Amino acid sequence: MSTQMTNEPNSYQLSETKSSVVELRASIMTALPHLSDANHSEAWWLLGTSHCHLCEDAKALITRFQMVQPIDCLDVDIIDFDEALMMQFATTIPVLLTSARRLNYPFSVMDLQQLLSE
């Protein structure tokens, strides 16, 4: 049995609808009102927390991506959420949220590039 490799992003990671992501971002803005600022509302948000090695890996990947693509990405610490919202992400961080999509880690530069084309 052979495994076929593709260069396409993992579609399961991009499966959430735009409306569900908009609702999720609204919930986060309720918990963290400073994210409602016009400067932050269109930014990508990297949800994570301190001392999370996967979050650090995701941040490093995004930082490298920003060297060739000028995107605004904010680090959002889930510890600042209320308990119910924090528990939605406790086992899935890091999570990248754009204004229209949710991308769960692990993700690649190609996945990030795909987000720009949507």
Side-chain angles (χ1 to χ4, degrees):
M1 178 189 326
S2 66
T3 303
Q4 185 176 18
M5 299 293 286
T6 68
N7 289 332
E8 294 182 29
N10 295 324
S11 59
Y12 69 89
Q13 295 176 334
L14 300 173
S15 62
E16 288 209 26
T17 65
K18 182 175 182 174
S19 63
S20 65
V21 171
V22 169
E23 290 171 13
L24 180 57
R25 284 177 65 107
S27 296
I28 293 170
M29 285 188 273
T30 299
L32 304 175
H34 71 278
L35 292 175
S36 300
D37 181 282
N39 295 328
H40 302 314
S41 63
E42 290 300 314
W44 291 8
W45 299 347
L46 180 61
L47 308 183
T49 196
S50 60
H51 307 295
C52 165
H53 73 280
L54 295 176
C55 300
E56 292 168 9
D57 292 348
K59 182 172 175 61
L61 177 67
I62 292 168
T63 299
R64 287 192 307 275
F65 185 69
Q66 287 173 310
M67 291 179 189
V68 294
Q69 292 290 341
I71 59 161
D72 186 21
C73 186
L74 301 172
D75 292 332
V76 179
D77 195 329
I78 66 166
I79 200 74
D80 297 327
F81 295 171
D82 62 44
E83 185 176 356
L85 189 56
M86 182 178 65
M87 293 311 293
Q88 287 184 23
F89 297 101
T91 60
T92 59
I93 57 172
V95 173
L96 183 64
L97 291 178
T98 70
S99 58
R101 292 288 183 192
R102 173 182 175 156
L103 185 62
N104 293 332
Y105 195 80
F107 45 80
S108 68
V109 169
M110 291 178 62
D111 295 319
L112 300 177
Q113 187 65 41
Q114 175 78 19
L115 290 174
L116 286 178
S117 65
E118 295 182 352

